[in-house]
């Protein structure tokens, strides 16, 4: 369908798309000379997904517990809305429960946050309140690769936001040299 549409609209020079091979094929077939580019939204979506996949691989999964002192205690007297600034990080109360179905007032969380929520915390640390920052810091201490992944993600985010394309080759090298397979794949 895309190929057919492009053939009926000659003169298309640039097509913004996600990383889908089907769209790449349709664009190539329908407008072979058009440049195919990834837009900022898709780049950031793919970055978050790479970070989330990395966290799924690295963080202890449900059923396996981190060391008892793995994460800091949570102030349970706060209301859920008080834990986060910003709409997307309203997940923070859930993060601080660290995956459990209820908050125990007796014991600190013993599991890391779910990967999706942890990815948002790592990508937007400026929107996380002190309790969340403490969780992030502890994750980076327990799992040094998390700090490497966060640095790569933040550097990429800043590069895209600030439109600093000249930094891309350096970032690509750093991603590949990190040997974090999700970031190597994202870089490729």
């Amino acid at each position: 369908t895309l190929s057919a549409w492009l053939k009926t609209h000659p003169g298309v020079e640039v097509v913004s798309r996600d990383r889908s091979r089907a769209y790449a094929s349709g664009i190539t077939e329908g407008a072979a000379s058009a440049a195919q580019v990834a837009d900022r939204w898709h780049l950031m979506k793919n970055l978050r997904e790479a970070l989330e996949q990395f966290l799924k691989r690295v963080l202890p999964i449900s059923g396996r517990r981190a060391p008892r002192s793995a994460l800091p205690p949570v102030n349970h007297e706060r209301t859920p809305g008080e834990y986060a600034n910003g709409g997307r990080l309203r997940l923070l109360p859930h993060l601080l429960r660290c995956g459990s179905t209820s908050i125990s007032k007796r014991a600190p969380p013993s599991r890391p946050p779910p990967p999706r929520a942890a990815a948002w915390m790592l990508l937007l640390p400026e929107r996380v309140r002190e309790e969340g920052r403490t969780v992030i810091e502890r994750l980076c201490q327990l799992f040094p690769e998390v700090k490497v992944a966060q640095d790569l993600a933040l550097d990429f985010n800043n590069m895209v936001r600030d439109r600093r394309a000249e930094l891309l080759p350096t970032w690509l090298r750093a991603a590949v040299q990190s040997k974090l397979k999700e970031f190597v794949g994202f870089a490729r």
Side-chain angles (χ1 to χ4, degrees), residues 87-109:
R88 282 188 264 203
L89 289 188
R90 293 207 174 112
L91 297 168
L92 198 50
H94 179 68
L95 299 177
L96 294 174
R97 285 196 301 269
C98 299
S100 67
T101 56
S102 64
I103 296 176
S104 166
K105 292 190 180 215
R106 293 185 187 95

Side-chain angles (χ1 to χ4, degrees), residues 143-156:
F143 308 98
E145 301 144 315
V146 171
K147 180 64 177 150
V148 173
Q150 181 186 32
D151 289 345
L152 284 168
L154 292 174
D155 287 349
F156 188 85

Side-chain angles (χ1 to χ4, degrees), residues 103-122:
I103 296 176
S104 166
K105 292 190 180 215
R106 293 185 187 95
S110 56
R111 281 182 276 182
R116 181 179 179 108
W120 282 115
M121 292 175 72
L122 292 167

Side-chain angles (χ1 to χ4, degrees), residues 122 130 132-143:
L122 292 167
E130 186 175 336
R133 283 193 299 273
T134 304
V135 170
I136 290 171
E137 288 170 15
R138 191 67 180 131
L139 284 176
C140 291
Q141 290 170 353
L142 289 170
F143 308 98

Side-chain angles (χ1 to χ4, degrees), residues 2-175:
L2 176 59
S3 175
W5 186 89
L6 286 168
K7 287 177 183 176
T8 63
H9 294 82
V12 172
E13 296 176 7
V14 178
V15 179
S16 177
R17 65 169 182 86
D18 65 11
R19 295 178 0 179
S20 163
R21 288 189 178 138
Y23 280 110
S25 177
I27 295 164
T28 300
E29 202 176 292
S33 63
Q36 298 183 38
V37 299
D39 59 65
R40 208 166 21 168
W41 188 89
H42 281 100
L43 286 172
M44 298 314 299
K45 177 181 182 285
N46 294 153
L47 174 68
R48 186 198 46 80
E49 289 170 349
L51 183 57
E52 186 177 333
Q53 289 304 310
F54 162 78
L55 292 167
K56 283 180 183 177
R57 180 174 61 82
V58 172
L59 297 181
I61 57 173
S62 182
R64 290 192 308 182
R65 292 196 175 274
R68 197 80 175 117
S69 62
L71 296 174
V74 175
N75 176 353
H76 298 288
E77 302 304 314
R78 290 187 167 200
T79 62
E82 290 179 286
Y83 284 110
N85 298 325
R88 282 188 264 203
L89 289 188
R90 293 207 174 112
L91 297 168
L92 198 50
H94 179 68
L95 299 177
L96 294 174
R97 285 196 301 269
C98 299
S100 67
T101 56
S102 64
I103 296 176
S104 166
K105 292 190 180 215
R106 293 185 187 95
S110 56
R111 281 182 276 182
R116 181 179 179 108
W120 282 115
M121 292 175 72
L122 292 167
L123 278 169
L124 300 169
E126 71 280 358
R127 293 192 185 177
V128 178
R129 294 243 179 153
E130 186 175 336
E131 292 89 349
R133 283 193 299 273
T134 304
V135 170
I136 290 171
E137 288 170 15
R138 191 67 180 131
L139 284 176
C140 291
Q141 290 170 353
L142 289 170
F143 308 98
E145 301 144 315
V146 171
K147 180 64 177 150
V148 173
Q150 181 186 32
D151 289 345
L152 284 168
L154 292 174
D155 287 349
F156 188 85
N157 182 42
N158 291 335
M159 178 179 56
V160 171
R161 185 189 60 225
D162 298 339
R163 299 173 187 227
R164 302 280 315 270
E166 73 276 6
L167 299 177
L168 183 60
T170 302
W171 187 89
L172 291 170
R173 275 190 299 284

